[in-house]
Amino acid sequence: TAVTLSLARLARVSAAHVRMLSGAILAAGAVMLLRVLAVVALLNAPLASALAPVLLAGAVASGLIAAVLVGGHVQQTAGQSSDLVMRNPFEVGEVLRFGALLAVVMAAVALARQAYGDGGLFGVAAISGLADVDALTLSAARLDVPLTVAADAILIAIAVNTLAKTAYAGYAGGARIGGLLLLCNTAII
């Protein structure tokens, strides 16, 4: 989410680079899918096996679309100077925010399961996906629930997170990057 917002803000001030920045955001999305698969594989191999086809297909699709967007931009701007100023989107505050979010999501998962059974996990997944997928992924991979429940919860968090980041990019970077990401991410999901 931090990378998406950082790159989207650049699109607002550097409209000539919207395709490249959109491609970079999609590449970050591909990395997120692979990271989720790697984390799940470390914690729950059967769950990783169930998720692998979907997550790998999404990562490949994101990567291919990103390559087309970035490659087309590189060809268009070859030899031109760049007006982009990149900054590190990660700070200590981000790490602290994740720790707090992880604690909140783990508590919410426990409460939702107690109140609504395994189905309560889906609501928590959707809500947590608005900000992050990692906290829900860690929680779901460790739960003693049917494989399909954990897999569906993780996929819900990913879908919500992807669409939320699309909306955040549109808000932070403008309609052009938001529209391009909406088109691409809708196709990927």
Side-chain angles (χ1 to χ4, degrees):
T1 306
V3 170
T4 297
L5 288 172
S6 179
L7 294 174
R9 286 185 193 110
L10 286 174
R12 184 172 293 283
V13 297
S14 187
H17 300 289
V18 166
R19 285 176 55 93
M20 181 201 56
L21 294 167
S22 296
I25 290 169
L26 291 171
V31 170
M32 180 257 305
L33 295 172
L34 296 173
R35 185 184 70 238
V36 166
L37 185 57
V39 167
V40 172
L42 290 172
L43 298 173
N44 187 332
L47 179 58
S49 294
L51 288 169
V54 175
L55 296 181
L56 291 173
V60 167
S62 291
L64 289 173
I65 295 170
V68 168
L69 291 173
V70 172
H73 177 79
V74 169
Q75 290 173 355
Q76 289 174 353
T77 59
Q80 298 176 10
S81 67
S82 177
D83 57 345
L84 292 177
V85 178
M86 302 289 213
R87 290 187 208 115
N88 184 357
F90 305 106
E91 298 175 1
V92 172
E94 188 69 23
V95 173
L96 295 174
R97 183 192 66 82
F98 177 74
L101 181 63
L102 179 60
V104 168
V105 168
M106 290 177 85
V109 165
L111 291 171
R113 285 190 66 218
Q114 184 178 358
Y116 304 107
D118 291 342
L121 184 58
F122 300 143
V124 173
I127 292 168
S128 90
L130 292 170
D132 183 73
V133 299
D134 296 320
L136 188 281
T137 297
L138 288 168
S139 295
R142 294 181 187 163
L143 288 175
D144 183 25
V145 296
L147 204 60
T148 56
V149 171
D152 288 348
I154 290 170
L155 293 174
I156 288 168
I158 289 170
V160 169
N161 185 259
T162 300
L163 293 175
K165 286 192 285 193
T166 299
Y168 304 154
Y171 177 77
R176 236 175 114 209
I177 195 166
L180 185 54
L181 288 172
L182 180 61
L183 177 67
C184 295
N185 282 326
T186 301
I188 292 164
I189 291 174

